[in-house]
Each structure stands twice: as structure tokens, then as C-alpha cells.
Amino acid sequence: MDAATVDLLVLGGGMAGLSAAARVAAEGGSVVLVEKAERTGGSARFAGFVWTAPTLEELRRVNPDGDPKLAEALIDGFADGIAWIRSLGVECRPPVPVLGFGRGHQVDSNHYLDTCERLIRDRGHEVLTATRTHALLTENGVVKGAECLLPDGSVRRIEATWTLLATGGFQGDPALRAEHIHPRAANIALRANPHSAGDGLALGRAAGAAFGKKDAGFYGHLMPADVSLTDPARFVDLALYYSEHALLFDTTGERFVDETVGDHLTTMALLERPGARGLLVADARVHREWISASYVEGIPGVDKFQLCHRAGARSAVAESLDDFASMPEEWGYPGAVIRDRIKEFNATTTGDGAPAPGRLLDGRPLDEPPFYVVEAAPAITFAFGGLLIDTGAHALSADAAGHRRIPGLLAAGADAGGLYRRAYAGGLAPALVFGLAAAHTALDEAPAPVRP
């Protein structure tokens, strides 16, 4: 294998990388997969749904500023992606609604990822873990593989017709988060594996790849502030999904966003508020219908307020709205102002007025005591900004003549940008679809020569 040129070198062993490598191996191509962690899988091991919008029209509605061609490719490739998962003997449960507008399948992601890795190895191809990529190999502007640092300290030169960047994005690097998302993003919690620290971004840019718009945003969730997320089990257990039916106040005591449009959007909005933290307030109805109930069909409900309280989150139960005036000073919130704003909000739900900001999807009052309060903060799962690609997962250049394909270089998963801009419609689905698109390119195309 050292002397041979493989069809595809995959840098990164998450959802996109394993999907691409396994598909190439399954169809008789040659592949090497390189993963810098001790184990493959990345952040995909913490996710359980492969989903996106059901139609292109719906995806464009919720994500109007994303690349329309990538959006179309995602919708067109979704069914084939699900069929590929099922072809490996991995169960995809019947489709269910997700986030109010989406639709997708619960999948045993660990079974899928491990099956992909086993397929690669069983076909006689290499999976190198605990291996770092030092640099891409280039010749006359064509990417021809990579130079990798093996666990024993030796350097391995791997030549490939195509090289796929699928290292998982840059959310694990505080400095890159501050540069490409928001200055406060350097200090937000990481709701993902720590190994995705911008390796693919650096490698791609060194080869001339273009980076997408700086203000693309990120996908994450509201989590209880100052609670450790080192245990991945907390990524879902403590996520405050119910915020869509609650009210969120910043440190000035004001609402600043329509909470009902989605926890993932509220998370981005909170990052831009003073201190990047706020108080999430729910009443007994919301506790009964959302906090302790199932969020997605097929997932058992748990009382997230109690989980947050036991985890040490700043939290309280107020027996009445007037109790907010007695909020401890050290919390740093004007409790009396928040009390008044809740009363004003409730008045608009029963009168002729409208709350500001509005409430698109849930306009019911929060007037049933007791009231459940948790201090929330944004946490990041992956960034939307990344290397620009086309529908075949080709990495695109940043030259003045316009975006051109960089011969031999592909990108997928969170290393790729352009699909979403301050909107979200699934993470595993794009990784799967564009990982498989990269495999198709590697099997069917030869890199075009660089034009003078």
C-alpha cells in the first residue's frame, strides 16, 4: 500500500469520512482512512437521527441564504443515503417529524459507523487511528495525497488520486471559533468531540481552498450554564430543547428573540447578548408538556429540569411570579423586570396586542405556577462555516477568477461550508450525502489538470 496510489485517501473518520471510505471499498475501489483520535466515529457517535427537510421548498424556506445547489443535492441524495445505511444491515426506523419542519430516521449511529469501519478493513484496506496529517501532497496544483504522522512517530507518505477532508470542522478550537463565529464563541461550551479543531480547514486553505462566509453561524443547543460537558452523555440529557415553549431573558431582563422558531436559532442569538447567558423560564404547563415529555417520537421523556438541577445548574422553582422580585443578587438578573415582562407577555396572549419579539409557533401564556427557571448558555456542536464545495464534494478555490475545483481535493461533513447560513436542517444527513458524493467522485472521475 505504501508504494501504490489509492483511489481515495480519507482524512477524518466521522460520518462523512467513514461513509465515503466504506462506499469506495464496497464498490471495489482502494482507500485509506486516517483518523487522529484513538477511535473512529467522531461526534456522529453522539447523534441518533439522520434527518433533513422533506422537500427542497421547505429547506429553502428555513435556510434561504444557503447555497441552493447544495440544498438541492442534499434533498436529492437523502433517500439514497438512507438506502445505503439499510444496505449495510443497519436499522433505520420509520420516519418521524423533527424540529417541527423536518423529517428523518432514528439510526443506531454507532452500529453504522462500526459497520463502515469493518467493511473497509474486511476489504483489505487500512484504517489508521491516532494518526495526524502533517501536510497535503501537491504537484503542479494537484492534490495527490498526504504526509501523515503515525503513532510511533514515523512519517507515512500516502499517495492518492483523490483526498477527502472530513476532519469534523473547527469547533474544537477556541481561537477559530472566535475568528469565524463571534469573539464570545471562544468561551462557549463544546457539545462535540474535542478532536475537530480545524485540521481540514488548515489543510484545505493551504491548498488554495476557499472558506465560506464568516457569519454563517453554528449549530448547537442551549445548555445549563457553567455545567461541565466532558461526559458526552450530557450532550442530549441536558439540552434545553423545551426553550421553544418557554421565555428566555438576557442579563438586562429583556426578551431578544422569538424562542419558538427553534432552540438551535435561539442558541446563536444568545451568543450575541451580554455575557452570552440568559434565564430560561417555563411554567407548570410547559414542564408537564415539554420539559418532562418526549421531545422526538420514539425517544423516552425525562425531566430535564431535574437533570439540570442535579448537575449543579443555577436553577430554581418559583411558586409565583412575584417571587422573581426576590431573585438572588448574585445571579446578576433584574428579577423584578423579568416578572413584569412575563406579566406583559401573558397580557398580550389574551388581549389584542402582540408580544415583542413575536411568537410564531407557540403564543400561549406562561401563567400556570410554579415556574421553572434555569440559567442557560450556548454550546456548539459544529460550525456552518467551512471550505466551499460543489455538489460532487469538490473543494473550490479562492482565486480571483472565481471558484474552481481544486484537482484531487474533496471536502465533506463539517469541513465543508456553504450549505447552511444561520439555519439548520440536520447534521448527519449532509455528512452522509456529501460523503457518498465524494465516494462517487473518487470512483468515477479523474482530477482535471490545472489550467494555466
Side-chain angles (χ1 to χ4, degrees):
M1 189 68 71
D2 277 320
T5 297
V6 296
D7 295 315
L8 179 65
L9 169 61
V10 177
L11 304 179
M15 185 70 171
L18 280 167
S19 296
R23 186 63 167 262
V24 168
E27 298 195 13
S30 56
V31 65
V32 173
L33 185 142
V34 173
E35 167 58 50
K36 78 174 184 179
E38 297 284 342
R39 183 189 185 194
T40 63
S43 295
R45 291 197 180 276
F46 312 136
F49 274 85
V50 180
W51 73 277
T52 190
T55 65
L56 178 60
E57 292 73 20
E58 186 67 8
L59 181 54
R60 296 290 294 144
R61 182 188 70 80
V62 299
N63 179 43
D65 297 325
D67 185 320
K69 292 182 179 178
L70 296 182
E72 184 175 5
L74 172 60
I75 298 300
D76 289 347
F78 182 75
D80 288 342
I82 296 300
W84 160 252
I85 293 175
R86 287 175 169 154
S87 75
L88 299 181
V90 177
E91 180 185 11
C92 285
R93 294 190 177 180
V96 296
V98 182
L99 282 188
F101 67 87
R103 194 161 181 81
H105 307 262
Q106 187 178 3
V107 174
D108 185 340
S109 59
N110 283 281
H111 184 199
Y112 173 71
L113 297 165
D114 292 340
T115 299
C116 285
E117 180 176 346
R118 185 167 60 252
L119 187 157
I120 296 163
R121 293 183 185 275
D122 288 350
R123 298 297 174 94
H125 308 294
E126 290 183 284
V127 176
L128 306 176
T129 57
T131 299
R132 294 179 176 270
T133 302
H134 175 68
L136 296 179
L137 302 175
T138 60
E139 182 179 325
N140 298 324
V142 179
V143 175
K144 294 194 169 184
E147 192 173 76
C148 300
L149 185 64
L150 300 175
D152 63 4
S154 62
V155 175
R156 168 90 174 267
R157 181 184 175 94
I158 305 173
E159 296 186 359
T161 303
W162 292 95
T163 300
L164 171 62
L165 302 175
T167 67
F170 62 83
Q171 61 275 355
D173 186 289
L176 290 175
R177 295 200 303 263
E179 178 184 357
H180 296 294
I181 298 176
H182 190 282
R184 292 196 191 99
N187 299 316
I188 63 176
L190 179 64
R191 190 179 173 272
N193 86 86
H195 298 290
S196 296
D199 297 27
L201 175 64
L203 292 167
R205 297 185 83 173
F211 183 78
K213 295 180 179 178
K214 183 177 181 179
D215 62 345
F218 67 97
Y219 168 64
H221 284 291
L222 295 179
M223 305 294 287
D226 299 325
V227 172
S228 171
L229 297 182
T230 54
D231 179 2
R234 288 184 164 183
F235 294 170
V236 172
D237 288 349
L238 300 184
L240 302 173
Y241 302 126
Y242 69 86
S243 67
E244 299 169 17
H245 305 278
L247 296 177
L248 183 63
F249 299 90
D250 67 12
T251 55
T252 71
E254 302 293 339
R255 288 181 61 231
F256 54 92
V257 69
D258 179 353
E259 300 91 346
T260 71
V261 296
D263 164 69
H264 55 296
L265 301 180
T266 304
T267 298
M268 285 190 281
L270 184 57
L271 177 62
E272 299 174 357
R273 306 304 292 179
R277 58 182 58 217
L279 284 189
L280 190 63
V281 181
D283 69 352
R285 174 187 61 80
V286 173
H287 181 271
R288 182 172 59 252
E289 296 179 1
W290 298 102
I291 296 178
S292 57
S294 175
Y295 180 71
V296 176
E297 183 180 333
I299 302 296
V302 295
D303 189 330
K304 285 186 175 291
F305 179 83
Q306 289 298 328
L307 289 178
C308 291
H309 182 71
R310 289 198 293 268
R314 178 174 280 173
S315 56
V317 177
E319 295 301 326
S320 72
L321 287 177
D322 289 335
D323 287 348
F324 280 82
S326 302
M327 188 177 297
E329 184 176 346
E330 62 267 23
W331 280 31
Y333 295 86
V337 173
I338 293 175
R339 174 202 61 197
D340 293 344
R341 296 297 178 265
I342 297 173
K343 289 182 177 180
E344 292 168 6
F345 169 80
N346 288 341
T348 65
T349 65
T350 57
D352 296 329
R359 297 275 286 187
L360 179 65
L361 300 177
D362 186 347
R364 290 181 290 178
L366 267 67
D367 59 0
E368 183 181 336
F371 299 89
Y372 297 83
V373 183
V374 175
E375 186 174 37
I380 185 171
T381 302
F382 69 90
F384 297 146
L387 304 175
L388 295 186
I389 63 169
D390 64 13
T391 59
H394 302 88
L396 304 177
S397 70
D399 56 57
H403 297 315
R404 296 177 177 174
R405 294 175 177 177
I406 298 176
L409 187 62
L410 307 167
D415 280 355
L419 174 64
Y420 298 139
R421 183 176 181 275
R422 302 193 71 82
Y424 172 73
L428 290 186
L432 172 67
V433 167
F434 291 105
L436 296 178
H440 183 273
T441 295
L443 289 165
D444 294 349
E445 293 183 21
V450 176
R451 297 175 182 176

